[in-house]
Amino acid sequence: MSPVEPMMTTEHARHLQHQMLRIRRFEERCVELYSAAKIRGFLHLYVGEEAVAVGVMEALAAQDAVVATYREHGHALARGVSAGSVMAEMFGKVEGCSRGRGGSMHLFDVATRFYGGNAIVAGGLPIAVGLALAAKMQGQPIVTACFFGEGAMAEGEFHESMNLSALWRLPVLWCCENNFYAMGTALARSESETNLAVKAASYEMPAWTVDGMDVVAVEAAATNAVDAIRNGGGPHFLELRTYRFRAHSMYDPERYRDKAEVERWKERDPITMLEARGLVDASTIAELEAAVSAEIDAAVAFAEAGSLERIEDLTRFVVSEVGAP
Amino acid sequence: MKTTYREALRAGLRDALLRDERVFLMGEDVGAYGGCFAVSLGLFEEFGPERVRDTPLSESAFVGAGIGAAIGGMRPIVELMTVNFSLLALDQIVNNAATLLHMSGGQCHVPVVIRTTTGAGRQLAAQHSHSFEGWYAHIPGLRVLAPATLEDARGMLWTALQSPDPVMIFEHGALLGMDGELADDAGAVEIDHAAIRRSGTDVTLITYGGTLHKTLAAAEALAAEGVSAEVIDLRTLRPLDDATIMESVGRTHRAVIVDEGWRSGSVSAEISARIMEQAFYELDAPVGRVCTAEIPIPYAKQLEEAALPQVPAIMAAVHDVLGRMSTSVDGVPVLAETH
Ligand SMILES: Cc1ncc(C[n+]2csc(CCOP(=O)(O)OP(=O)(O)O)c2C)c(N)n1
């Protein structure tokens, strides 16, 4: 079954473009701030993959839950976590969405039902199973969207989670961000079956392969899947074919792929691809760029002005300070 | 020869691959990527994809495969990127590697070497910064090594490969760039004994791995105060070299243990208990401990630093066992857990 693209209004195209630009420019600023040592630790950029998070988030409702990976700045921003609180987190400030305790790889925001930021590959998948199980047991029409790289599909936790979610017909949208490399390991060097949708389908769930560089296609596929899941259709799997334009993290000499390949993929940059649809004119894009730039300046200022957790509070949040919700 | 801890590890790997055809290195991104921390850089090109074997992300399966290959007559070196990911392979390590010999009544030897990076200090937050070597040191059937010097980084691997039983080697991430002099003919080292890295008469400081250098720095600063501290580098966390520890404590009558693991149920707890059991009457003061604060390691720099054992806290713990007032150094409050 191939998802049908919805009618695309100018207004909606503008919105999608805005979301992708927010992520792209935010991360470009992060690179500068990393060089300036304002941000430390690992920093995994999503540059090139923005259409995936933006398209899928469009399909979700406020009550839905999201589980992501360590490459999750884009998911957090698209989900509605404020740029200021994400930036403050990277600065290690109390005003950060995880109070500076998590950093880039552990963004959390329960208010938007954003359940991390997980730096153990495939570590988030079982949690998504559990969130979906809770929703099902409580009879709530909630979908859990779980993002992971194709590298995660070799882990046992992937297979165990696929099986459980299908066996129990849980409301999960599995979003495999296939960027063709797990660090330096190319897909064909890590998977016996490189058609990932086929692999997922063997667990008895609908599985589609989607052009992850085309935000409109991603949104359409995700919307179809989410509707089906919400109507009791059980878990669905999307293989979103995309590409990471930058290094795996900040340090990566990229010995494992050639520059020409990267350049070829850059021709399918999701931002220019949406632009090419001709729905958003140049002056609108200039407006969006200005708005995004102002938003990021404000986020950086917010992060700079933030405070450092006091050392006296070092041991907080190991055990709960309040009773269970 | 001038070298680094990373290069010394690589020299050890290369040596093993050259010397024994049964040896192969297997793990995530050990090959084409050049090693996640560039330890195995160049070995893929030199030895090819069969002997420097990239694996998919599947810690449980490839550690288990290492165990199986060891039983099958090979000498695998399995690399887990960091100890945090070793938890995905914990079942294979504990339920298979460590137990097969015993369960088979002595028939089934498992000569596998598992190398991994451990430790904090790079603002990588809670899922990339922990020190679980103490857990592995809890497991009968495993031998657990923690190289802290260039000599040990270079030489422990070959000796480990001669063991008929599984050996785990914990390489501290913060030491990878450490440089210094290594003898041109440096080679295999023994792995049965702790080493006294600095002699002293007033107190014995016992440590291993990443905290060795902080402990040596503390000993240096204590010397300026007129305190003579002996520093023991454990090197092997299982089995522990009780004799070296007790001999030293018998001379100094005071001991402080520095451990990057959490205090509860740690290597430091084990050593403290052994000193109590074996050298109680030699002690002039209760054993002191400096461990990591009992929290998942936080990202923010000031929190991470405060969580980890640092020189001022080590000095404060020594002051404590010497019955002196704890002071703060350069205005840095002494906060790590020192009791
Ligand atoms: C269990 C585990 N093993 C290894 C790692 C180290 N590591 C971090 S990201 C990564 C590659 C993951 O690739 P993929 O799942 O395709 O996601 P991508 O980074 O391409 O988005 C590896 C090996 C880890 N974080 N967790």
Side-chain angles (χ1 to χ4, degrees):
Chain A
M1 143 183 199
S2 114
V4 182
E5 284 186 12
M7 288 292 287
M8 180 63 51
T9 63
T10 308
E11 193 46 41
H12 191 59
R14 181 182 189 279
H15 169 72
L16 295 174
Q17 194 68 298
H18 185 193
Q19 291 293 73
M20 291 197 292
L21 280 172
R22 287 177 70 224
I23 299 170
R24 178 71 56 90
R25 302 291 175 247
F26 182 92
E27 290 200 318
E28 286 167 352
R29 190 72 64 87
C30 285
V31 174
E32 289 169 24
L33 292 162
Y34 198 91
S35 306
K38 295 281 185 186
I39 299 174
R40 296 281 81 188
F42 287 154
L43 183 70
H44 304 88
L45 300 177
Y46 199 51
V47 175
E49 307 186 35
E50 295 90 342
V52 174
V54 170
V56 173
M57 294 304 171
E58 286 303 316
L60 300 181
Q63 78 269 19
D64 294 335
V66 178
V67 176
T69 69
Y70 45 86
R71 197 183 298 287
E72 88 286 30
H73 312 142
H75 308 77
L77 292 174
R79 179 59 186 175
V81 186
S82 79
S85 76
V86 175
M87 191 60 89
E89 186 58 33
M90 315 253 226
F91 275 55
K93 299 290 179 74
V94 174
E95 291 75 8
C97 57
S98 305
R99 279 187 84 99
R101 303 215 175 213
S104 159
M105 302 195 286
H106 306 294
L107 304 174
F108 282 82
D109 184 43
V110 170
T112 54
R113 306 213 70 211
F114 191 79
Y115 293 102
N118 201 312
I120 300 300
V121 171
L125 279 74
I127 295 176
V129 170
L131 284 162
L133 177 63
K136 182 162 182 168
M137 292 178 77
Q138 292 163 8
Q140 291 175 347
I142 293 174
V143 173
T144 298
C146 180
F147 296 86
F148 50 93
E150 84 293 343
M153 288 186 60
E155 292 281 13
E157 284 178 329
F158 168 80
H159 297 278
E160 296 174 28
S161 301
M162 289 301 115
N163 187 49
L164 269 188
S165 68
L167 187 68
W168 293 343
R169 279 186 83 75
L170 300 178
V172 193
L173 177 61
W174 298 116
C175 301
C176 174
E177 308 184 304
N178 178 11
N179 61 16
F180 295 91
Y181 291 90
M183 279 185 70
T185 304
L187 177 63
R189 299 183 69 234
S190 74
E191 286 293 332
S192 56
E193 169 59 82
T194 55
N195 187 335
L196 302 177
V198 166
K199 197 157 202 156
S202 76
Y203 286 99
E204 291 300 314
M205 69 177 83
W208 301 326
T209 300
V210 183
D211 179 358
M213 295 311 227
D214 180 353
V215 67
V216 179
V218 174
E219 183 184 355
T223 303
N224 270 332
V226 166
D227 287 350
I229 296 166
R230 224 186 283 289
N231 289 321
H236 283 52
F237 178 98
L238 300 180
E239 177 202 347
L240 302 138
R241 293 201 175 158
T242 181
Y243 200 79
R244 119 173 109 61
F245 291 173
R246 305 275 185 128
H248 167 73
S249 177
M250 292 307 285
Y251 312 104
D252 170 5
E254 298 188 58
R255 288 186 194 87
Y256 50 85
R257 63 182 187 185
D258 59 78
K259 294 219 159 49
E261 179 185 297
V262 182
E263 291 312 313
R264 268 201 310 284
W265 275 95
K266 282 185 177 169
E267 287 164 18
R268 305 200 70 243
D269 184 321
I271 293 178
T272 47
M273 275 183 51
L274 180 58
E275 242 175 86
R277 284 183 179 249
L279 290 163
V280 189
D281 60 29
S283 72
T284 307
I285 289 180
E287 256 170 53
L288 291 175
E289 290 278 13
V292 164
S293 176
E295 182 189 6
I296 294 167
D297 287 346
V300 175
F302 176 77
E304 287 279 8
S307 43
L308 294 175
E309 186 92 278
R310 297 178 319 152
I311 304 293
E312 292 72 34
D313 289 333
L314 178 66
T315 57
R316 286 185 68 188
F317 315 118
V318 180
V319 293
S320 298
E321 294 171 6
V322 293
Chain B
M1 147 180 75
K2 201 142 178 77
T3 191
T4 63
Y5 184 87
R6 174 186 285 110
E7 287 162 0
L9 290 169
R10 186 184 308 143
L13 285 168
R14 185 166 180 273
D15 186 29
L17 285 160
L18 284 171
R19 275 165 85 170
D20 187 340
E21 280 188 350
R22 300 170 302 170
V23 169
F24 66 101
L25 173 66
M26 162 164 75
E28 290 159 16
D29 289 308
V30 294
Y33 189 85
C36 61
F37 298 116
V39 169
S40 56
L41 186 64
L43 299 180
F44 182 73
E45 290 74 13
E46 183 173 357
F47 296 98
E50 288 282 311
R51 297 189 69 206
V52 179
R53 182 175 285 267
D54 281 321
T55 63
L57 277 137
S58 45
E59 288 80 3
S60 185
F62 70 75
V63 168
I67 295 167
I71 296 170
M74 300 298 283
R75 286 290 179 276
I77 302 167
V78 181
E79 175 177 310
L80 287 158
M81 282 186 171
T82 81
V83 69
N84 310 276
F85 318 146
S86 80
L87 302 189
L88 282 78
L90 199 52
D91 170 59
Q92 288 298 324
I93 297 170
V94 177
N95 281 326
N96 283 343
T99 53
L100 284 169
L101 180 67
H102 187 81
M103 291 190 300
S104 66
Q107 299 175 74
C108 208
H109 300 276
V110 185
V112 65
V113 173
I114 300 171
R115 299 172 39 243
T116 193
T117 310
T118 188
R122 293 169 296 156
Q123 283 194 262
L124 300 181
Q127 291 179 332
H128 277 68
S129 301
H130 289 149
S131 294
F132 293 126
E133 54 276 9
W135 279 7
Y136 291 103
H138 178 69
I139 309 296
L142 300 179
R143 181 182 271 270
V144 178
L145 311 181
T149 63
L150 298 177
E151 287 75 15
D152 283 349
R154 169 67 182 81
M156 280 183 162
L157 177 66
W158 181 255
T159 316
L161 282 165
Q162 309 316 304
S163 166
D165 300 317
V167 181
M168 297 189 73
I169 305 181
F170 290 89
E171 302 158 2
H172 200 287
L175 297 183
L176 287 167
M178 176 179 78
D179 57 8
E181 279 297 321
L182 182 66
D184 288 338
D185 62 352
V189 295
E190 63 87 18
I191 55 174
D192 296 321
H193 298 97
I196 295 177
R197 300 292 183 200
R198 180 185 175 113
S199 300
T201 51
D202 297 334
V203 59
T204 300
L205 307 183
I206 303 160
T207 189
Y208 68 90
T211 43
L212 172 64
H213 306 279
K214 291 177 182 175
T215 305
L216 286 167
E220 188 68 30
L222 287 162
E225 296 177 357
V227 175
S228 167
E230 178 145 305
V231 177
I232 294 180
D233 172 4
L234 292 169
R235 302 179 67 243
T236 295
L237 305 185
R238 185 183 187 97
L240 281 168
D241 174 9
D242 292 1
T244 298
I245 297 169
M246 301 314 153
E247 188 279 327
S248 175
V249 173
R251 283 185 283 107
T252 63
H253 310 293
R254 291 178 168 84
V256 169
I257 308 158
V258 184
D259 182 353
E260 201 177 307
W262 293 300
R263 173 193 289 127
S264 303
S266 62
V267 172
S268 73
E270 178 60 27
I271 294 170
S272 176
R274 289 186 189 206
I275 293 173
M276 192 270 288
E277 289 164 350
Q278 300 174 41
F280 183 76
Y281 297 104
E282 296 292 345
L283 289 175
D284 284 348
V287 173
R289 284 199 274 164
V290 183
C291 303
T292 289
E294 302 226 352
I295 54 170
I297 303 290
Y299 163 72
K301 186 176 168 62
Q302 85 282 5
L303 295 181
E304 182 181 46
E305 281 176 357
L308 297 172
Q310 304 291 0
V311 171
I314 300 169
M315 293 177 68
V318 171
H319 294 153
D320 263 5
V321 301
L322 290 170
R324 296 190 190 176
M325 286 280 288
S326 292
T327 50
S328 70
V329 175
D330 298 337
V332 179
V334 174
L335 269 163
E337 311 216 330
T338 56
H339 298 285

